[in-house]
Amino acid sequence: MKNILFKIRNRVRLSGTNSVSISSGARVRKCDISIKGNNNRLIIKNGVNIKGSKIEINGNNCSIIFEENSVIGENCYFSSREKDTLISIGKNSMFSRNIKLMTSDGHDIFCGDKRINLAKNIIIGEHVWLADSVTVLKGCNIGNGSVVGINSLVTKDIGENKIAAGVPAVEIKDNIHWDEELTFS
């Protein structure tokens, strides 16, 4: 019955030999999920809350993993493409709306006979907050406890417990911590 409800509440397209694992304690609603190719994996662990987002895996041996208790806002886009790429979102992370994570540029670019824009993994650490409309490009890692400001474009790694912002995003504050609970004095 849960599988039927999942398909009713989400648009799911699968082709090839792939693996989808969604914990019974996860909430996945109104998502557009497309997986093409072989040996790909989508893993959504317990406590994840995701609504109104697009999840795309297109290639072979690609994975997208949402670790426990992460909250994903609406209109987010996750794309793991080509071969052997991974998007990993760490435990207790919080993404606002309109976030984009893409392991590939979507089109091949060559210099002579050599391709110069290979796909690369994206690793988001634990307890990371991405504010509204952040884009994270291929090959970027964001360390545990970090925050990326609104409308930022992440083009290189961000360390642990940092605030980064801008286009391209740069680290602007060290040794921070954040709490998902709003408090007012």
Side-chain angles (χ1 to χ4, degrees):
M1 183 67 171
K2 182 165 175 66
N3 193 27
I4 293 169
L5 288 176
F6 175 77
K7 289 181 180 178
I8 291 171
R9 292 180 182 156
N10 297 282
R11 182 175 182 208
V12 180
R13 294 175 313 283
L14 303 171
S15 65
T17 305
N18 300 295
S19 168
V20 176
S21 174
I22 300 174
S23 169
S24 62
R27 295 184 65 201
V28 182
R29 300 163 328 282
K30 297 182 181 179
C31 289
D32 184 353
I33 300 169
S34 174
I35 303 176
K36 299 176 186 174
N38 292 301
N39 301 314
N40 298 310
R41 298 180 310 147
L42 172 61
I43 300 170
I44 302 176
K45 294 190 177 176
N46 195 47
V48 170
N49 187 345
I50 182 169
K51 179 180 177 186
S53 292
K54 181 173 176 113
I55 300 169
E56 170 188 76
I57 301 175
N58 188 353
N60 295 310
N61 304 309
C62 299
S63 300
I64 298 178
I65 302 170
F66 295 89
E67 295 290 347
E68 291 89 354
N69 303 314
S70 291
V71 176
I72 310 299
E74 290 194 56
N75 200 35
C76 293
Y77 176 65
F78 302 92
S79 176
S80 182
R81 300 187 73 171
E82 297 189 31
K83 182 179 179 190
D84 301 318
T85 61
L86 166 68
I87 293 177
S88 177
I89 292 104
K91 295 178 184 178
N92 303 308
S93 289
M94 185 169 68
F95 289 14
S96 186
R97 298 171 301 268
N98 307 308
I99 306 299
K100 293 181 183 171
L101 280 70
M102 301 170 289
T103 63
S104 169
D105 297 329
H107 298 284
D108 299 350
I109 300 173
F110 293 88
C111 185
D113 290 338
K114 184 178 179 183
R115 182 165 173 217
I116 59 173
N117 69 330
L118 299 174
K120 297 178 184 170
N121 298 337
I122 296 173
I123 309 297
I124 308 296
E126 295 182 7
H127 195 65
V128 170
W129 175 11
L130 301 184
D132 200 327
S133 300
V134 167
T135 298
V136 180
L137 297 182
K138 65 183 185 178
C140 294
N141 300 309
I142 300 176
N144 296 339
S146 290
V147 175
V148 179
I150 194 168
N151 291 320
S152 293
L153 174 64
V154 179
T155 61
K156 63 182 181 178
D157 290 353
I158 296 170
E160 290 189 5
N161 302 105
K162 308 280 187 184
I163 294 177
V167 178
V170 294
E171 295 174 357
I172 58 175
K173 195 76 170 169
D174 294 322
N175 301 315
I176 63 104
H177 67 276
W178 64 274
D179 185 358
E180 58 271 6
E181 297 295 323
L182 295 176
T183 56
F184 298 96
S185 306

